[in-house]
Amino acid sequence: MDDEISFPASVIFIKYHYVQKSPMDEKRLTIQQKFSAFILCAIVFMIVYNYSAWYISRLETVPSFVFSFEKYIPFLPWTIIPYMTSGLFFFLVFFLCENKEQLKVLAQRMLFTTTVAGLCFILFPLKFSLEKPEIAQTFLGYSFRFLKTFDSPFNQAPSLHIAYALIFWSVLRNLKKRRLFFMGWLLLLGFSTLTTYQHHCIDILSGSVLAHISFVVFPYRKNDFLYRNFHLANFYFLSAWITASLALLLNQYYGYIWLLLLWPAIMFIAIGYHYQKNNVFFLKDKNGNISILRKILYFPYLLTYRFFWRFFRTNKTPLEIAPRIYISSRPDRNDLKFFNSSTIIYDLSAEMEEIIDLKTTPSYHSVPFLDIGSFDIEQTKALIKEITKHYQHLPDNGKILIHCTMGFTRSSVIGMLVMKNILSLPLEEAVITMKTLNRNAIIHSYLQDFLKKI
C-alpha cells in the first residue's frame, strides 16, 4: 500500500491513495511524502507560533521567570550561528527519515509538540527579560537584527528550539555517518538558546519535558520488542527532566536543600542510558555483586525495588513448572529450607543482590535481564541451552530454580522456554501451560515476536 499526502489550497488534509505494491514499496518513502510532511508541520508551526506571539503581545503585562543563577550566564554572540540552524534542521530532518513509520512518528511528535507549546504560551505567557548587549555592524550583528525581526520575545516556555532539537536527534541518531557531529551540533544549538539571550532556563527544562512526553505518547515501533528498551528509557529520561525541574524550582523558593533532588534526576538519566544500551550489568557484576559506589548512586532505585519486593512479589514459594525445575521471585532467608547443595540457582534479577547464603554457593549463576525490558535473543538461547544441559545431568536430589525479582515476567518467560525445550512442547502449548501453572505470569504482548524467534 502506498499513501500520498496532499494539501489543497482551501483545507489541509491527508489523503491516502491505495495502490497495490510489493512489501518493499510499502516501506519506501518518496520525496513527495517527505516534503508534504514537512509542509504540514511548517504550516502548523507558523500558525501556532505567530498567533501566540500576537496574542501575548496584546496583553497589558507579561511576567518573566528567571533563576537566580542565570545572571552568571555569559552572552556569546557567535552562538547565534548554531541557534539559527534550527530552521535548517527543521527542513532537513524530514528528508533523512528512512521509512514511513519513522516519518509518521516524526510528524506526530512535531505536531504534538508545536500544539502543546502553543497552548502553554497562551495559558502561561512569559517574556525574556535580559537586555542584549549592542552588537557591532558585522555578520553577527546583522544576524541578531534578522533574528529580532522574526523571533518573538514572548514564546518562551517551553522552548521549541530545545524540544525540536531533541526530536531532531531521534532521527539523526540513526545515521551511520556524522552521527557524533550532529550530536555535538545539537548540543551546541541547545546551549545557544541561553548564550544568545533568547531563552531562560525554565524554557529549556520545560522544552525537554515536552519533547520526552512526545516520545512517550508517540513511540517509534511500539510493538517491536527490539525497541522495548528505548520506550522504557524515555520514561526514565522524562522522569529525570521533571525531577531536575522540580529541584531547581523548589531551590528557587525554599533553599538549597531541594537541590538534593538532582541526585535522583542524575540517577534516572543513567538508568535511561543503560536501558538504551541494554546494559544488563549496569548494577550487578557478573558475580551478582553491586559495588558500594553503585549502591550510593542508585540508592533510591534499589530502595524502591526492595520495597516492592518486600510487599508485592509473587511465587514466594517456588513453583514447579516441570520435574525438578522451579520458578519464583527472589527468595529470602525463610526460603532456604527449599534448597540443598544440589540446587542450581539462576538469578535473572538485575536490581537486587542474591542473599549471601545462595550467592556464595558454586551452583549460583547471575544472568541478569532488565526489568520489563527486551530479551536479547542470543543471550536467551545460550541460557536455555545451558539450563537444559544442567538439567540433563542433575543428580537424583537435584533441583533447578529460576528466579527474578518480583516473579512476574522474567522468570516466567525463561522458565516457559526451558519447559518448552525439555518437554518438547509447541510454543502455544508452553504459553498456555505456564499461564495455567503460574496465574501471576505476565507475558507482555511485545514478547510475542520474541518468543516466535526463540
Side-chain angles (χ1 to χ4, degrees):
M1 301 293 180
D2 194 22
D3 57 313
E4 298 178 355
I5 307 176
S6 58
F7 302 92
S10 58
V11 64
I12 299 173
F13 66 91
I14 298 178
K15 175 184 177 183
Y16 292 94
H17 175 63
Y18 292 97
V19 181
Q20 188 65 35
K21 298 286 185 179
S22 68
M24 185 62 70
D25 288 333
E26 291 181 4
K27 298 180 180 180
R28 188 176 294 125
L29 278 171
T30 65
I31 294 297
Q32 181 184 358
Q33 290 167 334
K34 295 178 180 181
F35 187 74
S36 298
F38 160 70
I39 290 295
L40 174 60
C41 293
I43 290 175
V44 172
F45 166 75
M46 287 187 290
I47 293 173
V48 170
Y49 189 88
N50 290 314
Y51 174 77
S52 58
W54 171 83
Y55 173 82
I56 300 170
S57 67
R58 293 170 61 87
L59 299 177
E60 290 186 6
T61 58
V62 181
S64 299
F65 184 92
V66 188
F67 287 110
S68 57
F69 60 81
E70 291 189 55
K71 61 185 177 183
Y72 300 108
I73 297 176
F75 178 73
L76 303 176
W78 64 268
T79 56
I80 189 67
I81 297 174
Y83 182 86
M84 294 185 69
T85 59
S86 180
L88 177 62
F89 279 109
F90 192 112
F91 173 78
L92 180 65
V93 72
F94 289 93
F95 295 89
L96 294 176
C97 290
E98 298 176 344
N99 56 65
K100 291 183 180 179
E101 184 181 1
Q102 190 177 38
L103 181 64
K104 175 185 175 182
V105 171
L106 171 64
Q108 288 174 328
R109 290 171 175 176
M110 295 287 284
L111 293 171
F112 172 83
T113 298
T114 303
T115 304
V116 174
L119 291 173
C120 291
F121 295 154
I122 293 173
L123 295 175
F124 312 103
L126 292 173
K127 68 178 180 181
F128 190 79
S129 62
L130 300 180
E131 288 291 330
K132 292 185 180 68
E134 287 294 326
I135 308 297
Q137 299 289 337
T138 62
F139 170 75
L140 296 179
Y142 289 124
S143 297
F144 274 99
R145 288 175 179 81
F146 175 83
L147 183 64
K148 186 177 181 179
T149 303
F150 293 97
D151 208 359
S152 166
F154 298 115
N155 294 341
Q156 291 292 299
S159 166
L160 282 175
H161 259 73
I162 295 297
Y164 286 162
L166 289 167
I167 294 174
F168 298 157
W169 176 242
S170 70
V171 174
L172 296 173
R173 69 183 306 278
N174 297 312
L175 298 179
K176 295 180 180 178
K177 296 182 179 179
R178 299 183 179 88
R179 183 173 179 269
L180 290 178
F181 169 79
F182 284 122
M183 178 195 292
W185 192 267
L186 289 176
L187 287 172
L188 190 59
L189 191 159
F191 175 72
S192 71
T193 59
L194 296 174
T195 57
T196 54
Y197 283 12
Q198 288 295 124
H199 282 283
H200 290 300
C201 283
I202 192 66
D203 312 338
I204 279 70
L205 293 169
S206 54
S208 301
V209 169
L210 177 57
H212 282 89
I213 290 175
S214 77
F215 297 155
V216 170
V217 175
F218 301 105
Y220 178 56
R221 295 190 178 179
K222 180 179 180 180
N223 297 318
D224 189 337
F225 77 93
L226 294 175
Y227 284 79
R228 175 69 177 180
N229 283 7
F230 288 92
H231 304 158
L232 295 171
N234 285 326
F235 280 95
Y236 282 111
F237 291 143
L238 175 60
S239 300
W241 284 112
I242 291 175
T243 308
S245 302
L246 187 61
L248 293 176
L249 287 170
L250 291 173
N251 167 69
Q252 181 81 356
Y253 295 108
Y254 301 108
Y256 294 118
I257 187 66
W258 290 103
L259 289 178
L260 285 174
L261 284 176
L262 292 176
W263 174 16
I266 294 171
M267 181 194 73
F268 283 135
I269 290 176
I271 295 172
Y273 171 81
H274 290 300
Y275 260 84
Q276 280 190 338
K277 299 296 183 181
N278 195 30
N279 181 11
V280 297
F281 293 106
F282 83 96
L283 277 173
K284 295 165 69 169
D285 61 24
K286 294 185 178 181
N287 295 318
N289 300 311
I290 303 178
S291 68
I292 294 297
L293 288 178
R294 290 178 180 177
K295 285 180 179 178
I296 295 173
L297 174 60
Y298 294 101
F299 176 75
Y301 183 72
L302 298 172
L303 183 63
T304 301
Y305 265 98
R306 180 163 289 277
F307 172 81
F308 280 101
W309 171 80
R310 175 63 64 185
F311 295 104
F312 300 106
R313 63 191 173 112
T314 63
N315 299 337
K316 296 180 181 179
T317 301
L319 176 67
E320 189 172 20
I321 59 171
R324 297 188 293 167
I325 298 181
Y326 299 80
I327 62 172
S328 77
S329 57
R330 174 190 177 273
D332 60 19
R333 284 189 169 81
N334 295 328
D335 302 317
L336 289 176
K337 58 183 180 293
F338 172 83
F339 305 98
N340 56 48
S341 59
S342 299
T343 302
I344 301 175
I345 311 293
Y346 280 93
D347 175 11
L348 309 183
S349 170
E351 311 82 27
M352 292 184 67
E353 286 183 309
E354 188 71 275
I355 55 176
I356 193 68
D357 309 75
L358 299 179
K359 188 170 60 175
T360 55
T361 62
S363 58
Y364 169 76
H365 303 271
S366 178
V367 191
F369 290 85
L370 297 179
D371 190 20
I372 63 175
S374 60
F375 288 74
D376 181 86
I377 293 178
E378 296 306 318
Q379 179 190 6
T380 303
K381 286 182 177 179
L383 177 59
I384 302 304
K385 183 178 180 180
E386 179 182 328
I387 295 175
T388 302
K389 183 177 179 180
H390 281 148
Y391 178 77
Q392 293 169 347
H393 297 88
L394 274 179
D396 293 338
N397 64 338
K399 301 176 183 177
I400 293 178
L401 175 69
I402 304 167
H403 79 79
C404 55
T405 302
M406 301 297 294
F408 290 113
T409 298
R410 288 168 287 184
S411 59
S412 297
V413 171
I414 299 301
M416 180 185 66
L417 293 173
V418 171
M419 176 178 64
K420 172 184 176 296
N421 202 29
I422 291 174
L423 302 180
S424 300
L425 298 176
L427 176 60
E428 293 77 9
E429 185 177 344
V431 173
I432 293 172
T433 303
M434 174 55 72
K435 289 183 176 180
T436 302
L437 293 172
N438 181 16
R439 295 181 180 180
N440 296 309
I442 299 177
I443 312 297
H444 297 280
S445 58
Y446 73 87
L447 289 171
Q448 298 302 318
D449 286 341
F450 165 76
L451 293 174
K452 291 176 182 178
K453 292 181 183 296
I454 291 292

